């Protein structure tokens, strides 16, 4: 896609069954004027359109209808009910088909396994009567539960774009039609060719319906992450009105509504506490198990759990604007992404089904020339065994399961293809402040000169710093509970601040500020230099014309940063740190974390240059806090933003870590590796399955080993191939994203 995309729209699709369905629908949608690109996802039955002009939903739906599919605009909710209804319908049809076909199967296959069964049936009702009953039972199965294959497959066959349903329709029609002729018009067939294959046609329908049932249930599990997220949202909110409290569906809420949240309830909207206090469990956002205290003026997020207190919340964001809705959209968008690896699948499926029909026809012709009695069996087996369901499911089911599991672990892939790009990353570059460190300096050291008391010096320094907005000032004021009033506050850029406390002028600032004021700092100069070598920021306090103390503050390294860097180093990654701090402070942090490369004194624009330099030796990911690191996040191959739980809409990042935990980088890379490994396994199974079984179904092993694949076994193998692919993808739901 290019930069001309003006809008996107997501649709739900009915009638998708295999990879060729996906290719055909994409071609039909792309042909609609104004549609730049169409992405059809077989795993969740959706289509996302990227448009460059005004495109009406009706024109899209008509184009899909001409190709045999129904589409409706996606409302944004996960169609859990649709998935359940599909599974229920398939379960019913499978049971009905099995009940109709079972007597036929027992009679025919029982006669092969135990010949007296054949003799008993012949003597009891006669062979012709048996065949007529089989015709009626299997015909009912084809006309009832099996009708879906003909309704969808025959039109695609007539349009010259056959799909999986067409293969099933052809295979079962061939078996059923031949058997019908043998039953009612036997004179049209050679004497030695009179046989029936009703049981093959019936069992094929049963097995494929059963396979689709298992597939539908498995696909529902693959989308369970979104279901779980949406399930966190309360459906009813208690709105405070002039007439009293009113229970109102969340769809009717408006910004500004006042919501009463009782103890133990989930908060229904994003908002601000206007009354009350309570502990709120925000683990669904941050992954942190400890609840957070919320009181007047604090921000709360929808779907988090209120503790034992009662809260009155003023709604600021409702419905599709909430943080939870943003998370759901991100996960859904990631699951609908087309990975570059899918290009191979699309190229193959474009010609696969027509090629299979040709192979089946060639198989029938070849067997007619050498052993006519096997021609129909071999041709039908080729048609059935080659259905490309597994090919179409191989990639999207893994993406759904992988990105869904990532969301559960606090990792949001804003761009689904980041799953593939992150797998190839060689270098991980971290911003320091707010990413590897807490981003909030703490007072770490106080050393006073003779004649001054520590507590009094801190109160004086805090009184002056309280009027400054510098992060260092907060470190000082946070260390003191109360301080006196000041007069005549002044700030000297690059030097420090000063004000009158009591009757003395108090200066808090650099050595240069003290020297210019005539204050001798020699008594504490060595102490200040030592703190700087340890990566701390040291500054002086002067009271009157005397040096009172040296203070130092440091930005604490996050507890999990050490483990994260260790895991990355152990995984063979090149780890670098980019910081705007001075060389001493940056190297002190890097040494503690065992980061191999340090780039200090880097302003935001300089970070971009560093990333470009590092990228010369391989693929690079940059990890930043998403605020002042936007240029660097955008310039890296993969931008990973450290979030704060609610800050999940970072436009420049490919991946967002909701918890703010650097260990999330390890999890993201581990999940990327697991997902791509899973995709490779699925593709190997899907392609290998067809490459191996199509020749077997055609009878390639019969001359040497006497092995000929029956249509029933072909149907079972085809159904199980799709189930195997989806089941393998579901293993990602247990992934922990470890690099080991």
């Amino acid at each position: 896609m290019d930069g001309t995309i003006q809008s996107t729209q997501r649709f739900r699709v009915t009638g998708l069954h295999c990879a060729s369905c996906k290719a055909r629908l994409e071609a039909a949608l792309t042909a609609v004027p104004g549609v730049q690109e169409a992405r059809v996802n077989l795993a969740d039955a959706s289509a996302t359109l990227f448009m460059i002009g005004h495109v009406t939903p009706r024109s899209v739906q008509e184009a899909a209808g001409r190709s045999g599919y129904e589409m409706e605009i996606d409302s944004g909710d996960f169609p859990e009910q649709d998935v359940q209804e599909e599974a229920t319908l398939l379960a019913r049809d499978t049971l009905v088909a099995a009940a109709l076909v079972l007597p036929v199967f027992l009679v025919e296959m029982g006669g092969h396994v135990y010949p007296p069964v054949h003799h008993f049936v012949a003597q009891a009702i006669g062979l012709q009567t048996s065949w007529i009953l089989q015709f009626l039972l299997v015909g009912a199965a084809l006309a009832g539960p099996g009708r879906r294959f003909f309704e969808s497959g025959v039109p695609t066959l007539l349009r010259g774009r056959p799909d999986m349903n067409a293969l099933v329709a052809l295979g079962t029609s061939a078996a059923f039609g031949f058997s019908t002729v043998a039953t009612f018009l036997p004179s049209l067939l050679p004497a030695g060719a009179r046989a029936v294959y009703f049981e093959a046609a019936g069992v094929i329908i049963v097995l494929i319906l059963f396979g689709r049932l298992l597939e539908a249930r498995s696909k529902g599990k693959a989308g369970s992450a979104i279901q779980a997220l949406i399930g966190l949202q309360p459906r009813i909110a208690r709105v405070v009105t002039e007439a009293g409290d009113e229970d109102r569906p969340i769809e009717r809420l408006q910004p500004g509504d006042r919501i009463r949240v009782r103890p133990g309830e989930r908060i229904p909207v994003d908002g601000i506490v206007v009354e009350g206090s309570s502990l709120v469990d925000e683990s669904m956002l941050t992954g942190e198990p400890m609840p957070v205290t919320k009181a007047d003026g604090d921000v709360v997020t929808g779907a988090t759990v209120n503790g034992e207190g009662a809260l009155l919340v003023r709604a600021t964001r409702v419905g599709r604007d909430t943080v939870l809705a943003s998370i759901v959209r991100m996960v859904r968008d990631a699951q609908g992404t087309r990975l570059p690896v899918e290009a191979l699948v699309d190229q193959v499926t474009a010609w696969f089904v027509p090629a299979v029909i040709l192979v089946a026809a060639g198989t029938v012709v070849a067997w007619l020339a050498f052993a006519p009695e096997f021609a129909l069996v071999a041709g039908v087996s080729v048609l059935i065994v080659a259905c490309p369901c597994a090919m179409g499911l191989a990639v999207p089911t893994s993406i759904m399961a992988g990105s869904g599991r990532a969301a559960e672990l606090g990792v949001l892939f804003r761009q689904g293809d980041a799953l593939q790009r992150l797998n190839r990353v060689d270098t991980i570059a971290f911003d320091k402040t707010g990413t590897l460190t807490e981003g909030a300096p703490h007072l770490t050291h106080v050393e006073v000169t003779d004649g001054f008391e520590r507590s009094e010096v801190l109160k004086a320094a805090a009184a002056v710093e309280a009027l400054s907005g510098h992060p260092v000032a907060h470190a000082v004021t946070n260390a003191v509970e109360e301080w006196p009033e000041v007069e005549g506050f002044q700030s000297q850029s690059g030097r420090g601040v000063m004000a009158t406390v009591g009757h003395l002028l108090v200066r808090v600032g650099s050595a240069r500020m003290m020297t210019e004021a005539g204050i001798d700092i020699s008594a504490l100069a060595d102490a200040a230099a030592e703190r700087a070598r340890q990566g701390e920021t040291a500054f002086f306090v002067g009271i009157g014309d005397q040096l009172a103390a040296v203070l130092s503050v440091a930005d604490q390294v996050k507890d999990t940063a050490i483990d994260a860097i260790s895991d990355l180093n152990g995984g063979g990654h090149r780890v670098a740190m980019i910081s705007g701090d001075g060389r001493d402070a940056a190297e002190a942090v890097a040494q503690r974390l065992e980061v191999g490369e340090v780039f200090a004194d880097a302003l935001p624009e300089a970070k971009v240059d560093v990333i470009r330099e590092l990228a010369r030796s391989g693929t690079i990911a940059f990890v930043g806090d998403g605020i002042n690191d936007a240029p660097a996040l955008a310039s890296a191959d993969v931008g990973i933003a450290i979030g704060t739980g609610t800050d999940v809409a970072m436009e420049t990042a490919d991946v967002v870590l909701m918890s703010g935990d650097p260990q999330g980088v390890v999890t993201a890379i581990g999940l990327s590796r697991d997902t791509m490994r899973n995709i490779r396994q699925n593709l190997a199974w899907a392609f290998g399955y067809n490459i191996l079984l199509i020749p077997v179904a055609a009878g390639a092993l019969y001359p040497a080993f006497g092995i000929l694949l029956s249509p029933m076994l072909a149907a079972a193998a085809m159904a199980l191939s799709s189930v195997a692919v989806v089941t393998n993808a579901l293993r990602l739901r247990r992934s922990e994203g470890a690099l080991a």
Side-chain angles (χ1 to χ4, degrees):
M1 293 185 299
D2 55 33
T4 61
I5 297 300
Q6 297 175 3
S7 62
T8 62
Q9 181 64 61
R10 180 184 170 93
F11 292 82
R12 294 180 185 172
V13 185
T14 302
L16 291 173
H17 298 295
C18 67
S20 57
C21 296
K22 171 178 173 291
R24 181 170 59 256
L25 181 56
E26 285 180 347
L29 295 176
T30 305
V32 176
V35 176
Q36 179 78 353
E37 183 181 357
R39 295 179 181 174
V40 175
N41 190 323
L42 182 62
D44 65 356
S46 70
T48 303
L49 303 188
F50 299 84
M51 297 164 286
I52 58 176
H54 179 67
V55 180
T56 64
R58 184 176 181 83
S59 64
V60 171
Q61 291 166 333
E62 288 177 349
R66 288 191 294 271
S67 296
Y69 305 98
E70 296 180 5
M71 294 177 60
E72 62 179 25
I73 295 177
D74 190 347
S75 63
D77 295 328
F78 188 82
E80 181 178 4
Q81 183 177 358
D82 293 351
V83 174
Q84 292 176 345
E85 288 178 354
E86 180 187 8
T88 301
L89 181 61
L90 283 168
R92 185 201 68 188
D93 286 352
T94 302
L95 287 174
V96 171
L100 291 169
V101 173
L102 183 60
V104 179
F105 177 79
L106 292 176
V107 168
E108 284 300 312
M109 298 309 296
H112 291 299
V113 175
Y114 187 61
V117 172
H118 236 317
H119 301 313
F120 173 78
V121 172
Q123 293 174 0
I125 61 176
L127 192 61
Q128 181 68 14
T129 303
S130 172
W131 286 3
I132 292 174
L133 290 174
Q134 291 181 38
F135 166 80
L136 294 174
L137 290 171
V138 174
L142 294 178
R147 185 177 67 251
R148 64 179 67 205
F149 300 109
F150 295 89
E151 290 178 340
S152 178
V154 172
T156 64
L157 189 62
L158 296 176
R159 285 192 291 265
R161 298 291 300 274
D163 62 357
M164 167 197 165
N165 292 309
L167 295 181
V168 176
L170 280 174
T172 54
S173 295
F176 186 81
F178 183 90
S179 302
T180 301
V181 171
T183 301
F184 298 104
L185 298 170
S187 61
L188 297 179
L189 299 175
R194 189 185 179 195
V196 296
Y197 301 96
F198 287 122
E199 84 285 355
V203 172
I204 287 171
I205 293 297
V206 173
L207 288 176
I208 294 179
L209 285 173
F210 182 63
R212 283 196 179 179
L213 172 61
L214 296 179
E215 181 184 310
R217 290 178 174 174
S218 297
K219 287 196 293 186
K221 293 178 181 178
S224 62
I226 288 183
Q227 294 180 39
L229 286 171
I230 292 177
L232 296 176
Q233 178 69 62
R235 308 311 303 172
I236 300 294
R238 189 168 295 101
V239 182
V240 178
T241 68
E242 294 181 357
D245 291 359
E246 173 188 327
D247 287 344
R248 189 177 298 174
I250 60 170
E251 294 82 5
R252 293 175 50 201
L253 298 180
Q254 299 291 329
D257 285 346
R258 299 203 307 166
I259 314 292
R260 193 180 305 282
V261 185
R262 293 185 296 192
E265 292 182 336
R266 287 192 181 272
I267 299 172
V269 296
D270 295 354
I272 298 175
V273 177
V274 295
E275 183 181 305
S277 64
S278 182
L279 292 174
V280 175
D281 180 359
E282 296 185 332
S283 58
M284 57 81 62
L285 283 174
T286 65
E288 296 293 335
M290 295 300 294
V292 180
T293 301
K294 300 291 183 179
D296 291 3
D298 289 335
V299 174
V300 292
T301 306
T304 55
V305 181
N306 183 30
E308 297 181 356
L311 296 175
L312 187 62
V313 176
R314 177 170 56 83
T316 56
R317 290 182 292 192
V318 300
R320 295 177 62 85
D321 296 327
T322 63
V323 169
L324 179 64
S326 297
I327 294 173
V328 170
R329 281 196 298 273
M330 270 191 252
V331 176
R332 192 192 300 275
D333 290 345
Q335 292 181 342
T337 298
R338 184 199 305 278
L339 297 190
V341 71
E342 287 190 84
L344 173 63
V345 179
D346 292 341
Q347 291 173 4
V348 171
T349 54
W351 55 262
F352 185 81
V353 173
V356 167
I357 294 176
L358 291 176
V359 170
T363 299
V364 171
V365 171
W367 279 105
L368 284 174
F370 298 100
E373 67 273 19
F374 296 136
L376 181 65
V377 171
V380 172
S381 295
V382 169
L383 289 172
I384 299 302
V385 83
C387 291
C389 303
M391 290 184 185
L393 293 170
V395 178
T397 49
S398 293
I399 294 175
M400 283 185 66
S403 56
R405 177 56 176 161
E408 293 174 351
L409 295 176
V411 178
L412 296 181
F413 285 92
R414 289 191 66 253
Q415 303 295 331
D417 57 354
L419 268 170
Q420 185 166 346
R421 286 185 278 125
L422 196 56
N423 181 57
R424 300 192 300 264
V425 163
D426 305 302
T427 303
I428 316 291
F430 286 88
D431 169 57
K432 181 180 80 70
T433 305
T435 302
L436 295 174
T437 65
E438 298 290 349
H442 299 278
L443 187 66
T444 57
H445 181 76
V446 178
E447 186 172 340
V448 299
T449 57
D450 293 340
F452 290 94
E453 293 187 6
R454 185 180 188 276
S455 60
E456 294 303 318
V457 171
L458 280 178
K459 287 182 180 180
V464 179
E465 292 282 27
L467 300 179
S468 170
H470 196 280
V472 169
H474 296 304
V476 177
T477 55
N478 287 339
V480 180
E481 293 184 358
E482 57 182 1
W483 49 81
E485 297 291 331
V486 302
E487 296 178 356
F489 174 82
Q490 298 179 44
S491 176
Q492 296 182 356
S493 179
R495 291 174 173 79
V497 293
M498 58 183 175
T500 299
V501 181
H503 62 281
L504 295 174
L505 182 62
V506 177
R507 295 178 176 85
V508 183
S510 65
R512 182 177 179 181
M513 182 184 199
M514 300 299 149
T515 301
E516 290 177 351
I519 297 175
D520 182 12
I521 63 169
S522 59
L524 296 177
D526 290 343
E530 177 60 27
R531 306 315 298 186
R533 282 192 292 271
Q534 296 181 26
E536 300 177 4
T537 300
F539 53 95
F540 298 93
V541 179
I543 299 180
D545 58 358
Q546 294 183 327
L547 179 67
V550 61
L551 310 182
S552 63
V553 300
D555 189 4
Q556 300 295 314
V557 171
K558 292 181 178 179
D559 293 337
T560 55
I562 297 174
D563 292 336
I565 300 300
S566 176
D567 289 344
L568 292 172
N569 285 330
H573 291 88
R574 176 188 182 191
V575 182
M577 188 180 77
I578 307 175
S579 174
D581 289 348
R583 171 65 57 180
D584 288 342
E587 288 189 344
V589 172
Q591 184 176 3
R592 180 178 177 188
L593 293 172
E594 297 185 358
V595 173
E597 298 180 64
V598 180
F599 299 88
D601 299 310
L603 298 176
E605 57 272 17
K607 291 181 180 180
V608 174
D609 295 333
V610 172
I611 288 172
R612 289 173 179 168
E613 180 67 27
L614 291 171
R616 292 181 180 180
S617 59
T619 307
I620 182 171
F622 176 74
V623 188
D625 60 15
I627 301 171
N628 61 349
D629 292 321
L633 288 167
S635 63
D637 295 299
V638 181
I640 303 176
I642 295 283
T644 58
T646 58
D647 188 13
V648 297
M650 301 177 189
E651 296 300 327
T652 53
D654 302 301
V655 183
V656 177
L657 310 181
M658 289 191 292
S659 68
D661 184 351
Q663 191 68 33
V665 177
V666 178
T667 302
I669 295 174
L671 281 168
S672 172
R673 289 185 176 181
D674 290 348
T675 302
M676 293 309 300
R677 183 186 303 115
N678 194 273
I679 288 174
R680 288 192 292 269
Q681 292 168 350
N682 280 351
L683 288 175
W685 171 261
F687 284 105
Y689 159 84
N690 282 287
I691 291 171
L692 292 175
L693 287 188
I694 288 178
V696 174
L701 298 181
Y702 188 80
F705 303 100
I707 297 175
L708 189 64
L709 191 66
S710 74
M712 288 182 290
L713 290 178
M718 188 281 293
L720 291 176
S721 69
S722 298
V723 175
V725 164
V726 177
T727 303
N728 184 53
L730 290 178
R731 293 193 304 114
L732 289 169
R733 297 173 64 199
R734 299 191 298 272
S735 172
E736 295 298 328
L739 292 181

